[in-house]
């Protein structure tokens, strides 16, 4: 009896303790119903789809009801951006919580070429918005005026593109002709597994070359292709090669590799390799965070100039390497091909994070130890009307100044806050440039990267902003127009490669 009493008291005590613990906990009401939505996929009209002016289409999204409330008489409504003649709202089919639904909206492409983006939101039957928004991003295919096409020519611009989720190489012409997916991953290899995957034109414009990593990941494969033909393998080389460039006579292609330069003879399909091992100290000095900002043959086709955080010239006949600069510069061939122009980039205490100033504009004859100063840094800044803030934004991106294909013009692109200024100068027969008198100054309402001269030197193509994606844009020097003719839809890998602006993303003249 005593034992039973003890057990009874023990259980009573345990119950009281548990009741006390429960009473000590705050009361939490069960969660209430929640409205939410999550984008799943574009069923039709993927981002960057191209339409003709005035063309009608239907945009369909697949969406998940990710909340805890069934959708009854809910709506998708236009919230901001380009409505594209769509209705103010459409009804969403009844959708239980946790289920997916497809929502379609009829739309019409505008009459003018360009990139258009419209955002659409969700709301309840009572009109309460929820769940963020989804969007449509289209491009209306345009063409440049006939007189502009005549100046810029009919050779299309080649560029790294994306078709759905597949990286491809596409081409767009000044007349608006778009050839999407000239080169695809299937049949060639990974187009985004090397630093530079875009195609580059041969000097005569009859074919282009590109590099892909084979499916085993062991070889870089150099291909050659005509605009209307199929890719033909030229040679297999060690993986990691990038930035193919043609010699002026079209008989060789040079490529960069880790610690090496490769020169491929197209007739014999042989590869000659030049080691850069002796210049590892140069590569590791201040500027090691810099991407390549120049890799180009000399006009005579004997030397190769390349610069990143330093600048070197390789004589492909003797194998001799001439050090132009052991610190960060922007470089370019002089029009005579006998020397190199470069602009010093000065940093505080050899720290590439602390940009200080320009050190001047120089000409360095090949084979000579000392450069010729053509203008000091403050003078060059004054002539271009730039500030230290402008220079700092330019310090880590390439394409700052380039010589035209025929060597008669020099272009400086100064990126400012939200606009850019392009200064065009005529080069002299003798070394030197009159910076006080630009032949033309063009204001661009954009921050272009990867500018490339037109074959005739009367315009440029570049990559600029285009809604959520990137635009392939044409600049006509005479009219000053900066026109979008193709769009690259948002894609993480492709955007990352274009973000490394030193990598060659487009090709027009070479």
């Amino acid at each position: 009896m005593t034992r039973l009493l003890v057990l009874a008291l023990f259980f009573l005590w345990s119950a009281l303790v548990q009741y006390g613990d429960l009473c000590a906990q705050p009361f939490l009401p069960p969660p209430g119903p929640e409205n939410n939505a999550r984008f799943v996929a574009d069923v039709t009209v993927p981002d960057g789809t191209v339409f003709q002016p005035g063309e009608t289409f239907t945009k369909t999204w697949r969406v998940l009801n990710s909340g805890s409330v069934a959708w009854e008489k809910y709506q998708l409504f236009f919230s901001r951006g380009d409505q594209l003649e769509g209705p103010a709202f459409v009804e969403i089919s009844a959708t239980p919580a946790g289920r997916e639904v497809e929502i379609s909206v009829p739309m019409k492409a505008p009459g003018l070429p360009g990139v258009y983006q419209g955002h659409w939101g969700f709301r309840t039957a009572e009109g309460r918005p929820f769940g963020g928004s989804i969007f449509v991003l289209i491009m209306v295919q345009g063409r440049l005026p006939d007189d502009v096409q005549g100046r810029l020519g009919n050779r299309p611009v080649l560029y790294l593109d994306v078709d759905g989720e597949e990286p491809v190489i596409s081409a767009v012409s000044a007349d608006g002709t778009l050839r999407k997916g000239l080169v695809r991953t299937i049949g060639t290899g990974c187009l985004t597994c090397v630093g530079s995957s875009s195609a580059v034109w041969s000097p005569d414009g009859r074919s282009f070359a590109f590099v892909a990593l084979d499916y085993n990941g062991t070889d870089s494969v150099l291909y050659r292709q005509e605009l209307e033909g199929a890719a033909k393998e030229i040679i297999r080389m060690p993986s990691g090669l990038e930035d193919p460039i043609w010699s002026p006579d079209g008989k060789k292609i040079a490529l960069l590799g880790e610690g090496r330069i490769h020169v491929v003879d197209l007739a014999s399909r042989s590869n000659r390799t030049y080691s850069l091992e002796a210049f590892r100290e140069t590569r590791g000095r201040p500027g090691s965070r810099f991407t390549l900002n120049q890799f180009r043959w000399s006009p005579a086709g004997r030397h190769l100039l390349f610069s990143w955080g330093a600048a070197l010239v390789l004589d492909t006949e003797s194998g001799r390497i001439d050090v132009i600069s052991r610190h960060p510069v922007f470089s370019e061939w002089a029009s005579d091909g006998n020397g190199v122009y470069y602009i010093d980039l000065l940093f505080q205490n050899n720290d590439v994070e602390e940009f200080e100033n320009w050190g001047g504009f120089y000409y360095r004859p090949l084979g000579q130890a000392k450069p010729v100063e053509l203008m000091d840094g403050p003078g060059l800044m004054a002539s271009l009307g730039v500030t230290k803030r402008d220079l700092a934004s330019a310090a880590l991106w390439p394409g700052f100044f380039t010589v035209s294909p025929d060597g008669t013009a020099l272009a400086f692109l100064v990126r400012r806050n939200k606009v850019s200024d392009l200064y065009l100068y005529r080069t002299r027969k003798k070394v030197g440039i009159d910076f006080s008198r630009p032949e033309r100054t063009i204001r661009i309402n954009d921050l272009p990267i990867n500018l490339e001269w037109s074959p005739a030197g009367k315009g440029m193509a570049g990559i600029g902003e285009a809604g959520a994606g990137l635009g392939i844009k044409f600049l006509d020097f005479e009219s000053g127009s900066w026109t979008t003719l193709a769009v690259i839809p948002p894609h993480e890998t492709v955007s990352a490669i274009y973000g490394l602006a030193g990598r060659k993303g487009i090709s027009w003249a070479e």
Side-chain angles (χ1 to χ4, degrees):
M1 183 70 179
T2 303
R3 185 174 180 181
L4 290 175
L5 180 62
V6 171
L7 288 173
L9 291 174
F10 172 76
F11 285 119
L12 177 62
W13 174 81
S14 298
L16 290 174
V17 169
Q18 293 178 9
Y19 175 76
D21 289 342
L22 291 172
C23 291
Q25 299 295 323
F27 174 73
L28 296 177
E34 178 187 18
N35 282 303
N36 211 344
R38 180 166 61 84
F39 167 79
V40 177
D42 291 308
V43 179
T44 64
V45 190
D47 293 341
T49 300
V50 178
F51 293 98
Q52 296 299 315
E55 185 177 354
T56 58
F57 63 95
T58 298
K59 171 67 181 184
T60 302
W61 299 271
R62 182 176 295 118
V63 176
L64 172 68
N65 180 350
S66 58
S68 57
V69 180
W71 294 350
E72 296 287 347
K73 297 184 178 181
Y74 280 36
Q75 297 174 347
L76 182 75
F77 70 96
F78 173 74
S79 60
R80 58 189 171 88
D82 301 302
Q83 192 166 348
L84 305 177
E85 297 192 24
F89 66 90
V90 294
E91 297 283 350
I92 302 175
S93 302
T95 310
R99 299 289 295 273
E100 295 180 357
V101 63
E102 292 186 359
I103 310 172
S104 297
V105 179
M107 298 182 184
K108 184 178 181 179
L112 296 176
V115 178
Y116 298 89
Q117 183 173 17
H119 290 258
W120 295 72
F122 304 88
R123 64 189 179 195
T124 66
E126 295 75 29
R128 291 191 296 272
F130 69 92
S133 66
I134 53 180
F135 67 85
V136 56
L137 174 68
I138 68 166
M139 176 187 162
V140 177
Q141 184 67 44
R143 63 191 299 274
L144 295 172
D146 292 342
D147 60 330
V148 177
Q149 293 180 42
R151 287 192 291 272
L152 300 184
N154 58 10
R155 184 191 299 183
V157 171
L158 300 167
Y159 63 98
L160 182 62
D161 193 14
V162 60
D163 188 6
E165 289 297 317
E166 179 191 9
V168 298
I169 294 172
S170 298
V172 64
S173 304
D175 65 0
T177 302
L178 179 65
R179 298 175 176 87
K180 197 172 184 70
L182 280 175
V183 177
R184 294 187 173 274
T185 299
I186 297 175
T188 57
C190 180
L191 296 173
T192 54
C193 295
V194 290
S196 174
S197 308
S198 66
V200 286
W201 280 113
S202 62
D204 60 9
R206 295 180 180 177
S207 61
F208 58 87
F210 65 95
V211 181
L213 187 69
D214 72 357
Y215 294 110
N216 295 324
T218 57
D219 295 330
S220 290
V221 186
L222 178 63
Y223 290 95
R224 183 175 186 172
Q225 180 173 331
E226 296 179 355
L227 196 61
E228 304 297 339
K232 298 180 180 178
E233 182 179 316
I234 298 174
I235 190 173
R236 289 177 173 262
M237 293 175 288
S239 62
L241 298 187
E242 56 194 17
D243 297 291
I245 54 172
W246 294 75
S247 61
D249 60 8
K251 296 180 179 180
K252 300 185 291 291
I253 293 178
L255 305 98
L256 278 175
E258 181 60 35
R260 288 176 173 79
I261 290 180
H262 299 260
V263 177
V264 176
D265 183 277
L266 296 178
S268 63
R269 298 192 180 187
S270 59
N271 172 33
R272 185 176 179 183
T273 303
Y274 303 86
S275 175
L276 301 177
E277 292 298 320
F279 298 92
R280 281 192 175 275
E281 181 183 357
T282 302
R283 292 175 65 88
R285 293 196 52 166
S288 59
R289 289 182 64 248
F290 283 64
T291 58
L292 185 78
N293 64 53
Q294 186 60 273
F295 186 42
R296 190 172 185 180
W297 286 91
S298 64
R302 173 171 174 170
H303 298 87
L304 284 165
L305 166 66
F306 55 108
S307 60
W308 63 103
L312 306 175
V313 169
L314 167 67
D315 185 333
T316 59
E317 292 186 8
S318 67
R320 180 178 180 272
I321 294 180
D322 191 2
V323 178
I324 302 298
S325 170
R326 292 186 179 273
H327 55 270
V329 297
F330 288 124
S331 67
E332 177 61 289
W333 284 109
S335 56
D336 61 5
N338 295 321
V340 174
Y341 291 129
Y342 68 89
I343 297 176
D344 261 332
L345 298 175
L346 304 182
F347 292 83
Q348 296 178 6
N349 302 321
N350 290 338
D351 182 357
V352 296
E353 297 288 351
E354 296 294 331
F355 178 75
E356 185 174 0
N357 212 333
W358 276 347
F361 187 75
Y362 296 88
Y363 171 73
R364 170 77 144 65
L366 296 183
Q368 296 188 23
K370 291 186 178 181
V372 178
E373 185 180 63
L374 302 178
M375 180 172 284
D376 61 20
L380 184 60
M381 290 174 63
S383 67
L384 296 176
V386 298
T387 65
K388 278 193 175 183
R389 176 176 294 181
D390 297 328
L391 302 184
S393 67
L396 291 174
W397 62 267
F400 172 66
F401 76 101
T402 55
V403 173
S404 63
D406 62 4
T408 62
L410 183 69
F412 279 82
L413 180 73
V414 179
R415 303 191 340 162
R416 305 186 190 278
N417 185 15
K418 295 182 179 180
V419 299
S420 303
D421 287 319
L422 184 73
Y423 297 87
L424 298 173
Y425 297 90
R426 283 294 164 191
T427 57
R428 300 173 178 176
K429 292 183 179 179
K430 294 183 179 181
V431 174
I433 298 172
D434 184 2
F435 288 109
S436 65
R437 296 183 179 180
E439 182 181 72
R440 184 79 190 275
T441 302
I442 302 174
R443 171 61 58 91
I444 302 173
N445 293 315
D446 202 345
L447 298 174
I449 58 175
N450 278 224
L451 282 180
E452 174 83 3
W453 286 86
S454 68
K458 295 183 178 181
M460 285 184 161
I463 301 169
E465 296 180 356
L470 299 171
I472 303 298
K473 303 189 176 186
F474 286 63
L475 174 65
D476 173 47
F477 289 162
E478 186 170 320
S479 64
S481 61
W482 176 242
T483 307
T484 301
L485 289 190
V487 65
I488 306 167
H491 186 277
E492 184 177 354
T493 303
V494 173
S495 298
I497 288 179
Y498 278 121
L500 297 173
R503 303 309 185 192
K504 190 167 181 58
I506 63 176
S507 179
W508 198 5
E510 58 179 3

